[in-house]
Amino acid sequence: MPTASLVVTTYNWKEALALCLHSIARQRTRPLDVVVADDGSREDTARMVEGLARDFPVPLRHAWQEDIGFRAARVRNLGIAASRGEYVIFVDGDMVLHPSFVADHLALAREGSYLQGGRLNASREESQRLLDGGGVRFSPRMPMAPFVKGELKARHAFRVPPVAAIKARKPSRGVAMSCNLGVWRHDLERVNGFDERYEGWGREDDDLVTRLRHSGVERRLLRYAGLAVHLWHPTRWPDGIIPNGAIPNDRLLAETIATHATRCVRGLDGHVQT
């Protein structure tokens, strides 16, 4: 079985991040290491991560960058560079993972492809219950946030490994979600990771998987496995922008598609020490 690293993105919500990290500490199959990819959080996040790292069951590192705007692409590259696993799993710091989350990813990881998982969107009240110390419930009856186009439905609360194996057999096309994404390190290195020209909200994950596809790496679905609950929070989309709507970064994505690019210029290699 390959070694896995978890890269956890965060920004100024240490309470949610703590829940995420505690769920990682309880994994039945432990990752090789965990990197918190921090897009400029306050000092209290660093202190919290440092405190957890002392007794964490695997190495826990904190990769931080200055807060000068939304730079998810760059901070994820920092996370990749600081990690050591052969297989890199990206999650958001406002997610609570099922105890078999890492095991499910590794069981279905295959060369020549990446895995795209999903998440259950907890309601505002359910999220507060979890933040107050309540236990996580992976159930279709879990109180959920109103349905948003592109998000996953209640049926994905079920963990059924045999069905997950069937679902993951065939390549699939669809939207990218870097909140639950597993990619081989050598494939990330081949395409040079995330394109750091993407600043401001959106499309940096679509760009990555587009270049993976151009380089021959197929998308496969992680369904009925790799479960995670996403905590409710106010929308962080910029004013006037809605999911799947037009945003400034669309121009960069259109360029990647039109040129059939496989490798970005400003990417992972700027952070990997030789």
Side-chain angles (χ1 to χ4, degrees), residues 130-143:
L130 293 172
L131 290 166
D132 289 341
V136 63
R137 300 180 287 193
F138 294 94
S139 166
R141 296 183 179 180
M142 182 193 80

Side-chain angles (χ1 to χ4, degrees), residues 46-80:
R47 290 196 298 268
M48 186 273 290
V49 174
E50 181 180 354
L52 288 180
R54 296 189 188 103
D55 298 314
F56 211 72
V58 299
L60 173 61
R61 306 182 184 94
H62 185 211
W64 181 90
Q65 67 183 9
E66 184 181 3
D67 183 6
I68 55 173
F70 188 96
R71 296 188 294 160
R74 185 178 188 275
V75 82
R76 289 192 183 110
N77 283 341
L78 291 179
I80 299 166

Side-chain angles (χ1 to χ4, degrees), residues 14 29 35 42 70-71 85 97 109 112 126-127 130 138 148 207 209 223 232 237:
K14 62 181 176 53
T29 298
V35 180
R42 296 179 296 265
F70 188 96
R71 296 188 294 160
L97 311 183
E126 177 69 2
S127 299
L130 293 172
F138 294 94
V148 176
D207 181 272
V209 300
R223 298 289 186 266
W232 180 93
W237 294 303

Side-chain angles (χ1 to χ4, degrees), residues 70-264:
F70 188 96
R71 296 188 294 160
R74 185 178 188 275
V75 82
R76 289 192 183 110
N77 283 341
L78 291 179
I80 299 166
S83 68
R84 301 291 180 266
E86 299 164 293
Y87 183 76
V88 182
I89 306 172
F90 299 94
V91 300
D92 286 347
D94 55 7
M95 291 167 55
V96 184
L97 311 183
H98 187 281
S100 295
F101 181 88
V102 172
D104 288 342
H105 263 275
L106 292 179
L108 295 173
R110 299 289 184 271
E111 289 287 348
S113 64
Y114 67 90
L115 282 175
Q116 175 67 78
R119 62 188 185 182
L120 293 164
N121 289 300
S123 69
R124 184 173 189 170
E125 295 73 21
E126 177 69 2
S127 299
Q128 190 60 55
R129 188 187 68 82
L130 293 172
L131 290 166
D132 289 341
V136 63
R137 300 180 287 193
F138 294 94
S139 166
R141 296 183 179 180
M142 182 193 80
M144 296 188 192
F147 178 74
V148 176
K149 184 178 180 181
E151 296 287 8
L152 299 181
K153 300 178 181 179
R155 66 175 181 269
H156 298 289
F158 297 102
R159 181 176 181 269
V160 190
V163 176
I166 294 171
K167 289 285 186 181
R169 285 177 183 171
K170 295 182 179 180
S172 174
R173 292 288 186 98
V175 297
M177 293 175 60
S178 52
C179 61
N180 186 349
L181 181 71
V183 189
W184 292 97
R185 177 177 298 275
H186 57 75
D187 288 330
L188 290 167
E189 292 172 347
R190 181 191 310 177
V191 301
N192 204 20
F194 288 85
D195 188 339
E196 295 180 11
R197 295 181 301 164
Y198 284 79
E199 297 183 357
W201 185 86
R203 305 295 191 254
E204 74 283 342
D205 39 15
D206 294 286
D207 181 272
L208 173 71
V209 300
T210 297
R211 285 182 286 112
L212 285 170
R213 184 174 71 249
H214 290 169
S215 64
V217 181
E218 297 177 322
R219 174 184 188 262
R220 292 190 299 119
L221 293 177
L222 182 62
R223 298 289 186 266
Y224 299 99
L227 307 185
V229 169
H230 175 240
L231 300 175
W232 180 93
H233 53 74
T235 178
R236 291 173 184 165
W237 294 303
D239 291 342
I241 293 176
I242 60 173
N244 303 317
I247 60 174
N249 284 340
D250 284 341
R251 175 184 58 82
L252 295 173
L253 180 59
E255 176 185 314
T256 296
I257 295 171
T259 62
H260 210 72
T262 60
R263 186 176 176 86
C264 64

Side-chain angles (χ1 to χ4, degrees), residues 5-45:
S5 291
L6 281 173
V7 173
V8 184
T9 54
T10 193
Y11 177 71
N12 278 335
W13 197 8
K14 62 181 176 53
E15 296 81 7
L17 177 62
L19 280 183
C20 180
L21 292 176
H22 284 307
S23 74
I24 294 172
R26 293 191 293 267
Q27 290 296 299
R28 292 169 181 150
T29 298
R30 291 176 176 173
L32 178 68
D33 54 14
V34 179
V35 180
V36 174
D38 189 340
D39 192 15
S41 296
R42 296 179 296 265
E43 181 63 26
D44 58 350
T45 294

